[in-house]
Amino acid sequence: MNDLVRQHTALGETDLEWLHLLVSEWQLLSDLSFADLVLWVPTLDGTRYVSVAQMRPNTGPTSYQDDMVGHLVPRGRRPLLDAALDEGRIVREGDPEWREEVPVRVESIPVRREGRVLGVIARNTNLLTVRTPSRLELTYLQSASDLAQMIAAGSFPFPGQQVDMDASPRVGDGLIRLDADGVVTYASPNALSAYHRLGLASDLVGQDLGATTAELAPSRGPVDEALVKLASGWAPRETEVEGNGGVIQLRAIPLKPKGTRIGSLVLCRDVTELRRRERELITKDATIREIHHRVKNNLQTVAALLRLQARRMDSPQGREALNEAVRRVGSIAIVHETLSQNLDERVEFDEIADRVIAMVSEISPGKVDCRRTGRFGILDAEVATPLSMVLTEILQNALEHAFPDEGGRGTVEVSAMRSGTGRKDGRLLITVIDDGKGLPEGFDPQRAGNLGLQIVRTLVEGELGGTFDMVPAAPRGTKVVLDLPSSPQK
């Protein structure tokens, strides 16, 4: 709609915002009218109309099989549009049109803002299935007529009341019509069922909806007065009411077709099961986070016990082996700590990588600078846990073997780069480069027998589905290359 309005019309940005507000609300008018709506705006030179938006009803058959948005119509071809635009009134005169052997009643509603008519809504009703209307249909049509008059007068939609139609109640969910005193004159079957869910044992018709709603909801002190006013339809508001184990969503729409409030529409929807599922999900998320938190605590306890045991060992080799185990357990604990703070099973791995680098750097015998470049990005927990262990082993191996001398100086750089357009086909290329003494003569990374490299090979090739290699770096040192899928391999 933005492009069409800016390309073909003289409307400004504030007028365009008003049209967006109207389009966000007009599903309500379409459903109440059982009709298609097409918004026509005069072009810059005033010789044509351009259709900038279209809406089909959920309550009846459509009268347009094709998409009308973007169509241009010369002025004079549709007299009802001309009359509504020029005279600023709702135009209903004229015989039904026949479209593909379907009779269609056409009406035109001017769209007014601050005294100016911005465009015209063509309301097109498919008459093929017309029958004697029921009480529900008569209420719908009367409410649609009131809303149309408000649009023509510039009092609907309500400024500052942008509505999310996906979250708000719709006409078919439940409709209640109130008079000027807030007394129910009609309640649809769905609306009555929703109030029965709250504990209402009688009919709604003839009752003061505000007072009845406040009685059904738990007492909340001063909030009751606001609830009474909202349910009575005095202002355009939305709320949820909970009582008797049920939850209903209310939306009040004051009706002022001639400037004076004559009553209100209250749309309602039973959202009991939806809220129950949301609460279950919240509870599940909280449970998962608590599990990760407890796993992290248990791993830290294991690391502390291993550290304590290492201090009591006389063998330097045994002490170092236990310290390596402490770092391996610690790298897993870091992932679980991060997961305990998230709502899903995905983590920002850059944060984990930095903590792993800091943890392993503590074992450096000299002044070795460890740093990270590039971004790992967000990874699934199934990738993050083994990858943190792999990174720990590679860094530990570099610091121990590339710089064996006390007081040695050097750098270790961890680089990460993502490739691919999505999670499923994405790749993660990781390189770890040091400027240490390099690989020994005849070294084969696929056959080297130390425990650290065995762990790396197993995790990279087995769990992560990637490849691992170690090659000499230029001009000196060692380069470790990991090529991994960025999502779990099923």
Side-chain angles (χ1 to χ4, degrees):
M1 186 168 71
N2 289 351
D3 293 340
L4 289 171
V5 169
R6 289 167 181 157
Q7 179 181 353
H8 294 285
T9 77
L11 299 182
E13 291 301 315
T14 54
D15 294 330
L16 181 57
E17 289 177 11
W18 182 262
L19 295 184
H20 274 293
L21 189 59
L22 172 66
V23 168
S24 74
E25 291 273 26
W26 72 344
Q27 181 74 64
L28 175 63
L29 177 62
S30 178
D31 290 345
L32 290 173
S33 303
F34 308 98
D36 290 74
L37 306 178
V38 179
L39 178 57
W40 297 94
V41 180
T43 57
L44 184 62
D45 58 10
T47 62
R48 295 180 297 176
Y49 298 96
V50 58
S51 59
V52 299
Q54 179 179 1
M55 178 57 66
R56 293 184 172 90
N58 294 317
T59 51
T62 182
S63 56
Y64 281 115
Q65 298 300 325
D66 298 326
D67 188 357
M68 295 297 296
V69 175
H71 282 215
L72 289 164
V73 173
R75 184 177 172 86
R77 180 177 294 181
R78 300 194 176 182
L80 297 186
L81 293 182
D82 298 339
L85 182 68
D86 297 339
E87 301 173 24
R89 65 180 179 89
I90 299 175
V91 182
R92 296 190 175 91
E93 299 87 356
D95 297 327
E97 297 179 2
W98 287 84
R99 299 175 188 163
E100 298 179 357
E101 300 183 354
V102 175
V104 177
R105 183 176 64 240
V106 181
E107 304 166 87
S108 295
I109 305 166
V111 177
R112 193 183 303 272
R113 174 182 176 269
E114 296 181 353
R116 295 167 47 242
V117 177
L118 307 182
V120 180
I121 295 175
R123 181 164 54 176
N124 304 270
T125 307
N126 187 324
L127 300 178
L128 196 61
T129 58
V130 169
R131 63 184 188 279
T132 302
S134 64
R135 179 74 187 282
L136 180 144
E137 290 167 330
L138 288 173
T139 303
Y140 277 21
L141 292 172
Q142 180 58 54
S143 302
S145 177
D146 294 334
L147 284 177
Q149 292 182 56
M150 292 171 64
I151 291 173
S155 57
F156 186 83
F158 304 108
Q161 293 290 321
Q162 188 83 26
V163 175
D164 181 1
M165 291 306 299
D166 292 332
S168 294
R170 299 196 177 196
V171 170
D173 295 325
L175 178 141
I176 301 171
R177 176 82 186 223
L178 309 179
D179 64 15
D181 297 321
V183 176
V184 179
T185 59
Y186 176 79
S188 71
N190 284 347
L192 190 58
S193 297
Y195 267 80
H196 285 166
R197 190 70 176 261
L198 288 181
L200 180 70
S202 60
D203 195 1
L204 271 174
V205 175
Q207 297 199 41
D208 185 307
L209 187 65
T212 300
T213 304
E215 289 175 4
L216 295 172
S219 177
R220 295 182 233 167
V223 181
D224 283 347
E225 184 178 350
L227 180 59
V228 169
K229 287 186 176 181
L230 186 146
S232 298
W234 287 97
R237 295 286 187 274
E238 289 192 33
T239 192
E240 286 189 4
V241 180
E242 184 170 358
N244 193 42
V247 184
I248 65 171
Q249 188 178 12
L250 298 179
R251 182 190 175 199
I253 304 168
L255 297 176
K256 303 176 182 179
K258 296 181 180 179
T260 303
R261 181 175 170 276
I262 64 168
S264 306
L265 286 180
V266 176
L267 304 180
C268 59
R269 177 169 61 178
D270 184 351
V271 292
T272 304
E273 293 304 314
L274 178 63
R275 297 296 175 258
R276 182 184 63 81
R277 289 195 296 269
E278 286 178 352
R279 288 166 184 164
E280 287 179 352
L281 287 174
I282 291 172
T283 302
K284 179 183 176 182
D285 289 339
T287 302
I288 291 173
R289 289 199 299 271
E290 178 62 21
I291 289 172
H292 284 302
H293 182 71
R294 293 190 181 189
V295 170
K296 182 262 297 183
N297 287 345
N298 290 339
L299 288 172
Q300 289 179 337
T301 300
V302 171
L305 292 173
L306 291 173
R307 195 177 295 113
L308 182 63
Q309 185 66 43
R311 291 172 184 166
R312 293 174 175 268
M313 292 198 69
D314 296 330
S315 167
Q317 293 85 358
R319 188 182 307 114
E320 182 55 34
L322 287 177
N323 284 332
E324 288 183 3
V326 168
R327 287 188 285 274
R328 288 165 184 150
V329 172
S331 67
I332 302 174
I334 290 172
V335 177
H336 282 283
E337 181 180 2
T338 305
L339 287 169
S340 70
Q341 300 167 2
N342 292 342
L343 291 176
D344 56 15
E345 291 292 288
R346 306 185 70 202
V347 296
E348 178 63 65
F349 196 80
D350 295 315
E351 196 178 304
I352 293 174
D354 290 341
R355 294 182 62 180
V356 167
I357 291 171
M359 177 183 69
V360 178
S361 296
E362 295 176 359
I363 70 169
S364 173
K367 296 181 179 179
V368 179
D369 178 27
C370 294
R371 58 176 180 265
R372 171 180 64 85
T373 61
R375 292 194 69 249
F376 288 86
I378 297 175
L379 299 177
D380 292 305
E382 297 172 66
V383 174
T385 301
L387 182 56
S388 68
M389 285 195 65
V390 168
L391 193 58
T392 300
E393 296 299 332
I394 292 174
L395 290 171
Q396 191 166 285
N397 187 72
L399 292 174
E400 286 183 354
H401 301 292
F403 311 101
D405 300 329
E406 291 290 335
R409 294 176 178 269
T411 60
V412 178
E413 181 176 297
V414 179
S415 175
M417 183 175 66
R418 299 286 287 262
S419 64
T421 57
R423 286 180 59 194
K424 292 184 179 180
D425 60 350
R427 305 291 298 181
L428 179 60
L429 181 65
I430 304 169
T431 57
V432 181
I433 303 176
D434 67 68
D435 57 0
K437 69 175 186 177
L439 297 173
E441 188 75 24
F443 179 80
D444 183 358
Q446 304 303 325
R447 296 180 179 275
N450 74 68
L451 178 60
L453 290 182
Q454 289 179 10
I455 291 174
V456 170
R457 285 197 300 268
T458 300
L459 293 178
V460 169
E461 297 171 0
E463 288 199 33
L464 295 174
T467 60
F468 157 73
D469 198 10
M470 294 179 71
V471 295
R476 56 172 292 181
T478 304
K479 179 180 180 180
V480 179
V481 181
L482 305 176
D483 187 359
L484 314 170
S486 60
S487 60
Q489 300 301 292
K490 302 300 183 184

